[in-house]
Amino acid sequence: MCHSFDTRAESALLTVSRFETHPTTDDLAYRRLARVWAASVTVVTVRRDAARVAEDRPPRDGFTATAFLTVSIAPPIVLVSAANATSAFAMLQDTAHFAVNLLAVSQREVADAFARPHADRSSVWDARAWSPDPDGVPILTDALGAFSARVRQVVAAGDHTLVLGDVTALHLGTDTAPLVYHNRSYGRVAPHE
């Protein structure tokens, strides 16, 4: 079957579009567009491998992230992303295992605590309930749930690094609303009516 197109009509559609088109080199436009993506808020936790890390870094650590996704069910694989110029990148370089804790809507303070830079990051654990997974990675016990993972592959991707992990354990918690992040503020998922 052959389709013919009216190029005049196609051109009119392009010029009437409500979108502003920007070049990919426009960092501000890139950030504006990325902010309209609503994402679940997670805390990625690690237990550093003592043989691979400097003594001044705490054995357990974590960072707030929205750049997380499930990649595969069979086999189960997850992915997290970290900016190369951040402590999150250093954490992922220092470990062979990590966990992705899915935060509940009531855990905004937890997200804020793990998002801040800390001179001594061990202080963020003082007021939080956690328990170790089978590999010793801390799991936040008040989270909706968590994926424990072993680093499978590390991929350089521009100014970020992608870390793929083979899921080693699933931790199911309460079935409450997730904390989401949209346009630089926290929110909740509302049912569509």
Side-chain angles (χ1 to χ4, degrees):
M1 175 183 261
C2 181
H3 295 283
S4 62
F5 295 97
D6 182 343
T7 56
R8 288 172 297 167
E10 187 176 308
S11 175
L13 288 175
L14 292 175
T15 58
V16 176
S17 172
R18 66 182 184 89
F19 296 111
E20 301 171 6
T21 302
H22 295 264
T24 58
T25 55
D26 185 338
D27 291 348
L28 182 59
Y30 185 92
R31 290 172 195 272
R32 280 178 48 207
L33 184 56
R35 280 196 298 264
V36 300
W37 173 257
S40 179
V41 181
T42 70
V43 170
V44 178
T45 52
V46 300
R47 180 190 56 81
R48 287 189 164 96
D49 183 341
R52 297 165 39 164
V53 68
E55 290 180 16
D56 63 338
R57 294 186 184 165
R60 65 180 177 269
D61 214 337
F63 62 92
T64 301
T66 55
F68 156 74
L69 59 95
T70 56
V71 175
S72 171
I73 294 174
I77 300 170
V78 294
L79 178 145
V80 295
S81 174
N84 297 341
T86 65
S87 60
F89 174 74
M91 287 179 221
L92 292 170
Q93 294 293 319
D94 293 343
T95 188
H97 296 87
F98 64 93
V100 180
N101 298 266
L102 309 175
L103 297 189
V105 71
S106 61
Q107 293 183 294
R108 179 181 177 165
E109 182 276 329
V110 175
D112 285 341
F114 281 95
R116 288 190 295 265
H118 299 276
D120 175 12
R121 294 186 73 85
S122 61
S123 65
V124 300
W125 296 98
D126 294 344
R128 280 163 196 83
W130 64 277
S131 60
D133 75 0
D135 294 303
V137 178
I139 301 295
L140 299 171
T141 54
D142 292 335
L144 295 176
F147 295 90
S148 291
R150 179 179 54 254
V151 174
R152 172 192 188 98
Q153 186 177 4
V154 177
V155 179
D159 61 1
H160 278 60
T161 295
L162 308 178
V163 178
L164 289 136
D166 290 314
V167 176
T168 57
L170 303 168
H171 313 279
L172 295 173
T174 60
D175 187 17
T176 61
L179 181 64
V180 296
Y181 193 73
H182 173 256
N183 204 14
R184 293 191 278 192
S185 59
Y186 294 112
R188 65 173 56 227
V189 174
H192 189 279
E193 296 181 14

